[in-house]
Amino acid sequence: LAGHHYLHLPGSDPGAPPLLLLHGTGGTERDLVSLAQRLSPGSTLLSPRGNVSENGANRFFRRFAEGVFDYDDVRARTDALAEFISAACTQLDIAQNRLLAFGFSNGANIGATLLQRQPTALAGGILLRPMVVLDEPAAPDSLTGKSVLLANGTFDPIIPADHPERLAKLLAAGGATVQRHTSAASHNLTPADLEAATAFLESL
Ligand code: MLT
């Protein structure tokens, strides 16, 4: 794990699923900590910092412009993050078979590409304001038994209107159980997102 910036907060409740926090563009590994602790008190938290710098803003993969992605970089960073997750779970004694992504925006997007390309990295995830980055279905049966929540806003200027539905299909192609939550919101999170995430965790 040398060379990686990350936060590891061991949880107090072995029954609570460990969470992989994935921040948005310009964030750090601390951004989602208090939200995650409210959502799932007692969960172990593993929170890597995105290792791409866009003029100083941390991200999880490169883009040429907003919504214009560097697909080779997306694939390579997704695979490298999967390796980090496995190594971290082994070294820090985190139950990877129960690990749920909890990602926002760019972090939600790499959560989705992890599920598409590296399905063994995660047990599922809560993806807040995700979009389609890789237009590739998950391999058949690769996500069977895993659950994913996609939470989007109806007037989010960053996410094209058809993307949540398209992403749901790409993940369902792998056998994932996909729940979608749509609220009257923009790209920023609102209390409805936390409520949806809470209901999702209770449904698992
Ligand atoms: C991305 O680049 O992943 C998306 O545009 C979301 C963002 O980070 O603004």
Side-chain angles (χ1 to χ4, degrees), residues 24-25 54 59 61 63 65-69 104-107 109-110 129 131 133 158-159 187:
T25 300
E54 183 182 85
R59 289 175 51 82
F61 52 78
R63 63 180 171 184
E66 195 169 285
V68 185
F69 301 111
F104 167 63
S105 189
N106 182 246
N109 289 343
I110 198 153
R129 306 296 182 271
M131 63 192 287
V133 176
I158 294 177
I159 312 288
H187 201 64

Side-chain angles (χ1 to χ4, degrees), residues 68-88:
V68 185
F69 301 111
D70 178 338
Y71 294 110
D72 290 338
D73 191 71
V74 170
R75 292 188 180 91
R77 303 267 179 199
T78 299
D79 296 352
L81 183 58
E83 274 183 38
F84 166 82
I85 295 167
S86 292

Side-chain angles (χ1 to χ4, degrees), residues 131-152:
M131 63 192 287
V132 174
V133 176
L134 293 180
D135 195 359
E136 299 165 4
D141 230 19
S142 63
L143 297 174
T144 301
K146 303 182 195 259
S147 296
V148 185
L149 172 69
L150 309 181
N152 284 92

Side-chain angles (χ1 to χ4, degrees), residues 7 21-36 38 47-49 58 102 104 189:
L7 192 67
L21 310 189
L22 298 165
H23 64 77
T25 300
T28 76
E29 63 278 13
R30 305 212 69 90
D31 287 17
L32 293 171
V33 168
S34 65
L35 196 61
R38 265 194 288 159
S47 187
R49 183 188 299 179
N58 299 319
F102 181 57
F104 167 63
L189 300 179

